[in-house]
Amino acid sequence: MVLLFLLITAGVCAYAAEVFIRSAQHRYRFLRRIELTHAGENYDTEGERAYESVHTLAESSFRRDAHAAVLYVVLTLVALVTAFVDSRLIAAVLAAVVVPAMFPLWWGRRAVAEARLTQERFEKQRRAEQTLSQDDLAPLAWADRLAPDHLPDFSGYEVGRVYQAGEGVMAGDFFDVFRISPTRVAAVVGDVAGRGIESSITAFQAKYLLRVFLGQFRDPAQALEELNGQMASIERSEEFISAVLVVFDTEAQAMRYASAGHPAAWLWHEKEVQPLRATGPLLMLDANSTYFSREVPLDAGDTVLMYTDGLAEVRYGDAQFGEDRIAQHLRRDPTVSPDTLCKTLLEGARDFADGTIADDVAILAVRRT
């Protein structure tokens, strides 16, 4: 019975030894590949640190597996000798186990360093993940500034909006709704040509400068002229802005609008969908450009629909979603709430594109209740 137990023990130890020998062989080949790769490359300081980190961990893994392999080989021999040799020799054979057990005492000097190295690698990876997370959140943070979630309430009017930043880029479209005076509220939708951080900054500047100028000038056309003069003085030859600006007078129950080269906004008025076309050129093209405004009385149920070209230019093959389809959405059900109107418009554009929409899209709808 004892003999059988010792033979089984020897077999198990032999199998464990084989497993660790194969593992040690793989780790040694990996270690050699790292060393050969390093010998043929010229690394900078950061690359050298990365090599040392990987080399140290690979070497440590190889040592552990090699040590385990030697230990199980010895235990296999001990079990076999114990089974077939006189017991007086057992003590001497067991003493051989001490030999591989001594190696961890030597390697233990580097255990703390290896632990610190592992911790450093973890911290670097964590910081890298945080950086990537911040990069992913940056466009969302800008989008929140360019398209606020909280809009002011103004008596007798209902507001709906939808905003979707483009894929993988900083947003260049913006909208805003803000109170100018107790009886006047401004709504604006704009689009900066181009993509990236510079276009996003330009959109941010234009949005808040409009707030300033609408506080100084009663006519939206005057505000656009002042904005154009300020923005055109900035040397950014590849940028320009389109914008439509509507000022609602809750006391007079009317609206006055001006548009700087922006796609036609749509007005549901007198049971018809009417276009609110541009009343001046794009901003930032010419500092001396002039703009004019138009005033329209508003009846109960009248709705103004504004959007950026990212909606109209949604494509399916060579076909565009287009301004006519946008107008048709408003004409189909002019009594729907502005929020629902904006959402169904975006859903309709997505269905038309049969996929995602890559460009920025801003939609704003205001209805007199």
Side-chain angles (χ1 to χ4, degrees):
M1 189 66 179
V2 174
L3 177 61
L4 178 60
F5 173 78
L6 290 173
L7 290 175
I8 292 174
T9 302
V12 172
C13 291
Y15 177 77
E18 181 186 3
V19 170
F20 279 103
I21 288 172
R22 288 202 304 267
S23 178
Q25 288 174 338
H26 285 294
R27 294 185 185 279
Y28 179 75
R29 285 195 292 268
F30 176 65
L31 179 62
R32 288 295 298 158
R33 188 171 65 181
I34 293 173
E35 292 173 345
L36 292 173
T37 302
H38 177 261
E41 299 285 346
N42 292 321
Y43 292 100
D44 55 14
T45 303
E46 193 65 28
E48 192 67 31
R49 289 177 180 172
Y51 161 74
E52 291 176 358
S53 173
V54 174
H55 182 271
T56 300
L57 293 175
E59 186 180 33
S60 175
S61 299
F62 165 71
R63 286 202 312 265
R64 284 195 296 269
D65 284 358
H67 172 261
V70 172
L71 181 60
Y72 279 109
V73 168
V74 172
L75 289 176
T76 302
L77 294 175
V78 168
L80 291 174
V81 170
T82 303
F84 296 106
V85 180
D86 190 280
S87 61
R88 289 174 297 179
L89 298 177
I90 293 177
V93 175
L94 287 176
V97 179
V98 178
V99 177
M102 294 293 291
F103 285 102
L105 298 177
W106 173 261
W107 295 333
R109 298 180 307 166
R110 302 189 61 183
V112 175
E114 291 172 359
R116 288 176 178 171
L117 180 59
T118 302
Q119 185 176 0
E120 288 175 1
R121 291 191 65 186
F122 171 77
E123 292 296 332
K124 287 181 180 179
Q125 182 177 2
R126 185 174 62 86
R127 287 195 295 269
E129 290 173 351
Q130 289 176 342
T131 301
L132 291 174
S133 176
Q134 290 172 356
D135 289 343
D136 291 338
L137 291 175
L140 299 178
W142 271 106
D144 184 60
R145 290 180 177 273
L146 297 177
D149 285 334
H150 301 289
L151 302 179
D153 294 327
F154 54 111
S155 178
Y157 289 82
E158 187 179 359
V159 181
R161 80 282 193 188
V162 165
Y163 187 86
Q164 177 179 289
E167 296 179 347
V169 295
M170 301 295 284
D173 291 10
F174 64 94
F175 73 77
D176 200 8
V177 179
F178 56 96
R179 189 175 296 280
I180 304 172
S181 70
T183 61
R184 298 172 68 241
V185 176
V188 58
V189 170
D191 180 10
V192 179
R195 297 184 177 184
I197 184 64
E198 290 187 357
S199 296
S200 186
I201 292 173
T202 299
F204 183 80
Q205 292 173 328
K207 173 183 172 179
Y208 284 96
L209 281 174
L210 268 178
R211 287 195 170 208
V212 174
F213 297 142
L214 280 170
Q216 298 174 355
F217 305 101
R218 188 172 184 85
D219 187 1
Q222 287 182 284
L224 285 180
E225 284 188 6
E226 190 66 23
L227 176 65
N228 180 62
Q230 292 290 331
M231 299 299 291
S233 64
I234 303 174
E235 295 184 1
R236 295 175 183 170
S237 59
E238 297 181 357
E239 286 187 347
F240 55 85
I241 306 172
S242 72
V244 57
L245 174 58
V246 181
V247 177
F248 296 90
D249 191 322
T250 59
E251 187 176 46
Q253 299 301 346
M255 54 164 267
R256 180 174 287 274
Y257 83 93
S259 174
H262 201 75
W266 296 102
L267 171 64
W268 173 259
H269 178 63
E270 296 180 344
K271 298 183 179 180
E272 292 183 4
V273 175
Q274 306 172 12
L276 305 178
R277 302 198 182 277
T279 61
L282 294 165
L283 301 167
M284 298 181 69
L285 292 181
D286 182 357
N288 298 315
S289 294
T290 58
Y291 301 84
F292 64 92
S293 61
R294 290 174 175 159
E295 184 168 321
V296 181
L298 292 178
D299 300 324
D302 285 359
T303 301
V304 180
L305 176 62
M306 298 173 279
Y307 54 90
T308 55
D309 61 7
L311 177 67
E313 294 177 359
V314 168
R315 288 185 172 275
Y316 180 73
D318 294 331
Q320 282 191 344
F321 190 63
E323 295 179 1
D324 290 341
R325 282 189 176 88
I326 297 172
Q328 185 61 32
H329 268 77
L330 179 57
R331 185 179 292 110
R332 185 181 302 127
D333 189 1
T335 63
V336 71
S337 71
D339 191 59
T340 301
L341 173 63
C342 294
K343 290 178 180 178
T344 55
L345 257 176
L346 185 60
E347 290 171 1
R350 286 173 178 162
D351 292 341
F352 177 82
D354 195 23
T356 59
I357 300 175
D359 200 4
D360 305 334
V361 174
I363 308 173
L364 185 65
V366 181
R367 184 177 68 175
R368 183 188 167 191
T369 56

